[in-house]
Amino acid sequence: ISYNVFPGWHMRRIIRDICLFHARNATTSKEQVEAARKALNEIAVALNGASPYAMLLRNEAQRLAKQPAGYVLGEFLAPNNAPSYYGEFAERAAKAGLSIACDGEVATALPEFFFPSAATKINAMAGNDAAAVQQYIDFFSGRPFRRSLLVHAERAPKVAPTINPLRLRSLHFAANIRKDTARSSNEKLIFLDERGRTMTPKEPIAALMLDRLAAAYPSTLAFNELVPEAAQNKETAINALTSLLGMLGREQATASAVPLRVGRGDGDKPCAWPIARIDAIARQPWATGQHHQPVKLPPQASFLLPVLDGKRDRAALLKTLSELLARSKTAQGDPAAILNATLAYAARNGLLV
């Protein structure tokens, strides 16, 4: 279950109050969103100081300007939005016969992963209380949002209280990383994740894993595909799974219960994932990739994705794109170069099937 949490959402409640008040007379959803964005922009522009309030309004106005209308409508204009503290949510779940098994993401489940600089302090303040650990994580981080995995209360004692890397063996993995060829050598390989963070594998098996993940992305690899060497060596398997757990905790990899195979940009008749096409047709600033992550859509991609129906070859796509660019006032350039770059971008971000 995904839900908003305090104390982080206290600040966004201010934004919600402004949006609701200014959009109170709007009659359609579109008018509501337009009114809310206008109010935030007007106030943000007027506040020139460096006060916390002014910074909050400016940051939120900029953030919401990049978000789709559906997000603004659901988060800041919906009639019901009741954030709670973690403990309050756990109590409500218990009354319904449910128990929180763990956080929905490895990266936010433990302070060692989510807030490493304060992990020692969080654990000390919480003592042996696992629920208190989670509440202190929210106090330290100020995050406004959580995902929790719930189980029936009678099953809760069967849920392991710690994360066991060996349980990852049945999953499929992906990592948006690339080798830093400028700094790598035969003796030392260096990779960069999507945030630009350096990854320097110390063990040969870790280097092989990173190399294979980089080559496969955005497709996933099963563990036996990623580390075939582990089949005959238990120690290799443990080391590899421990490394993968660390990558998941640092948000440098993702894990899935099902495999993901994506299309390539050099195919004869490229085809976009249907949901990505719908997002592009709706002129959203982003599309949903098959890895369930938002992908920013450049203007060229917004033009091209709607016509990637798998029925047009590259010549037909080039003709269609040339016609669209001729009518466009924003997207310009060489159609062939734009086609190649956009298809490569779509493939890299899991938008093709």
Side-chain angles (χ1 to χ4, degrees):
I1 293 181
S2 302
Y3 53 104
N4 293 325
V5 290
F6 293 134
W9 229 87
H10 277 304
M11 293 183 289
R12 288 194 177 167
R13 177 171 273 181
I14 297 172
I15 307 303
R16 175 174 162 82
D17 289 344
I18 293 172
C19 292
L20 286 171
F21 184 80
H22 195 68
R24 67 192 184 282
N25 296 323
T27 56
T28 68
S29 297
K30 182 179 180 181
E31 290 175 352
Q32 283 183 304
V33 173
E34 290 175 350
R37 283 178 166 159
K38 182 178 180 180
L40 291 177
N41 289 332
E42 293 286 351
I43 297 172
V45 169
L47 297 175
N48 295 320
S51 68
Y53 183 73
M55 294 175 64
L56 170 67
L57 266 293
R58 285 196 295 268
N59 289 339
E60 285 296 300
Q62 293 173 5
R63 188 180 72 87
L64 294 187
K66 301 175 184 177
Q67 297 292 337
Y71 171 80
V72 179
L73 188 67
E75 195 80 338
F76 296 94
L77 292 166
N80 298 312
N81 189 334
S84 63
Y85 285 96
Y86 175 82
E88 294 172 340
F89 179 83
E91 290 176 1
R92 291 172 62 189
K95 292 178 181 178
L98 300 171
S99 176
I100 299 178
C102 63
D103 212 67
E105 299 178 53
V106 174
T108 56
L110 300 174
E112 290 80 2
F113 289 150
F114 189 52
F115 213 96
S117 62
T120 301
K121 292 181 180 178
I122 290 174
N123 287 323
M125 294 173 73
N128 296 321
D129 189 337
V133 168
Q134 295 303 313
Q135 185 59 74
Y136 278 114
I137 287 177
D138 291 354
F139 285 147
F140 273 75
S141 67
R143 66 174 173 184
F145 175 78
R146 265 185 174 269
R147 295 185 181 95
S148 292
L149 178 64
L150 302 182
V151 297
H152 291 287
E154 63 270 18
R155 295 192 60 192
K158 300 178 182 179
V159 177
T162 58
I163 296 177
N164 182 355
L166 297 181
R167 292 180 177 269
L168 298 174
R169 192 159 193 157
S170 63
L171 301 180
H172 304 262
F173 304 92
N176 187 2
I177 59 177
R178 62 181 177 85
K179 186 185 295 183
D180 187 344
T181 54
R183 293 191 293 161
S184 294
S185 64
N186 292 333
E187 295 76 27
K188 183 179 181 181
L189 292 179
I190 298 176
F191 293 81
L192 297 174
D193 68 11
E194 59 183 323
R195 300 182 191 174
R197 294 177 294 180
T198 298
M199 305 170 68
T200 307
K202 297 180 181 179
E203 300 294 333
I205 193 62
L208 284 172
M209 283 171 44
L210 294 182
D211 210 25
R212 291 163 182 166
L213 286 167
Y217 188 83
S219 294
T220 59
L221 292 175
F223 183 70
N224 61 347
E225 296 173 313
L226 180 57
V227 195
E229 298 84 354
Q232 304 299 326
N233 191 310
K234 184 177 180 180
E235 183 179 353
T236 297
I238 293 174
N239 290 338
L241 290 166
T242 301
S243 294
L244 283 169
L245 178 60
M247 291 179 65
L248 292 171
R250 294 186 295 273
E251 294 186 295
Q252 293 173 320
T254 59
S256 172
V258 295
L260 171 63
R261 296 291 183 264
V262 301
R264 295 173 57 87
D266 56 3
D268 292 334
K269 295 182 178 180
C271 184
W273 192 40
I275 293 179
R277 289 184 65 205
I278 292 171
D279 289 335
I281 291 171
R283 290 291 184 262
Q284 297 276 25
W286 52 270
T288 304
Q290 293 177 80
H291 42 25
H292 305 294
Q293 296 295 327
V295 177
K296 185 177 180 181
L297 287 183
Q300 297 89 338
S302 297
F303 279 114
L304 190 60
L305 282 179
V307 298
L308 293 181
D309 54 9
K311 300 177 181 179
R312 296 175 171 88
D313 60 18
R314 296 179 76 89
L317 288 173
L318 184 59
K319 180 181 178 181
T320 301
L321 181 60
S322 298
E323 294 170 352
L324 291 171
L325 290 173
R327 297 196 298 266
S328 172
K329 296 180 180 180
T330 57
Q332 301 294 328
D334 176 57
I338 290 175
L339 177 63
N340 292 332
T342 303
L343 287 175
Y345 180 85
R348 176 67 182 175
N349 288 281
L351 300 180
L352 301 182
V353 295

